[in-house]
Amino acid sequence: DQAHRFYGHQRTDNRLPPALDVERSELTRAHVLAFLDEWARLSGPLLTLYTSRQSWDRIMGATPMPPAQAQMFALNWIAAYPFDTPAGQPVPMDPASIALRSTPPLDRTPPLIDPLEWFEIWQHSGQGTLPGYDKFIDLNVYNGTEADLRALDAPWPRTDPD
């Protein structure tokens, strides 16, 4: 049912592949694989996988994802916040702490997930700042060239689900 609803909201003018968010505690491996099987049956576009290593391990376990499902992802978007303040603690507002959280950590990589041993987008902070914006925001870094990112912006074939 979720795959059908999600598919029904897709538009052919979307700029990036739709994202499958694998992090909610009520999700199970069976839920994720059933969604992917139905998405493939609907001939949906390739997906973006959004998750963290901790969420992935908790939901998907140690058993590798079947290759057919692993190939359904055009992008892998990993959430890992190496410089953020742990939940429940005051967030330091000194300039050095803000700069550390708001600068892509180019000398590091996020904890990767098995069997998808790469990342294209790393959400590296949930406590980032941008000039002119007075609230914390999520910040991401793309692991590729601008040409690579623009190549993802292509029409996708769509058929109506039964």
Side-chain angles (χ1 to χ4, degrees), residues 17-100:
L20 177 62
D21 187 341
V22 179
E23 63 181 337
R24 301 207 35 132
S25 61
E26 61 271 13
L27 282 177
T28 66
R29 179 182 178 86
H31 290 135
V32 173
L33 295 180
F35 179 94
L36 292 172
D37 288 343
E38 187 61 15
W39 190 259
R41 194 188 73 69
L42 294 170
S43 299
L46 292 176
L47 295 164
T48 298
L49 172 64
Y50 175 81
T51 193
S52 68
R53 176 67 185 258
Q54 297 86 345
S55 295
W56 185 260
D57 289 349
R58 184 184 72 249
I59 294 164
M60 298 301 288
T63 306
M65 181 184 286
Q69 280 96 349
Q71 293 173 3
M72 294 176 68
F73 297 105
L75 279 172
N76 291 302
W77 184 6
I78 303 298
Y81 309 134
F83 306 115
D84 283 8
T85 302
Q89 295 184 15
V91 178
M93 296 303 294
D94 61 280
S97 294
I98 290 172
L100 192 59

Side-chain angles (χ1 to χ4, degrees), residues 73-128:
F73 297 105
L75 279 172
N76 291 302
W77 184 6
I78 303 298
Y81 309 134
F83 306 115
D84 283 8
T85 302
Q89 295 184 15
V91 178
M93 296 303 294
D94 61 280
S97 294
I98 290 172
L100 192 59
R101 292 190 312 262
S102 299
T103 304
L106 300 177
D107 62 335
R108 301 175 70 170
T109 59
L112 300 175
I113 60 173
D114 295 323
L116 308 173
E117 295 287 337
W118 79 98
F119 81 97
E120 279 138 337
I121 301 173
W122 178 6
Q123 188 171 85
H124 62 87
S125 180
Q127 300 171 349

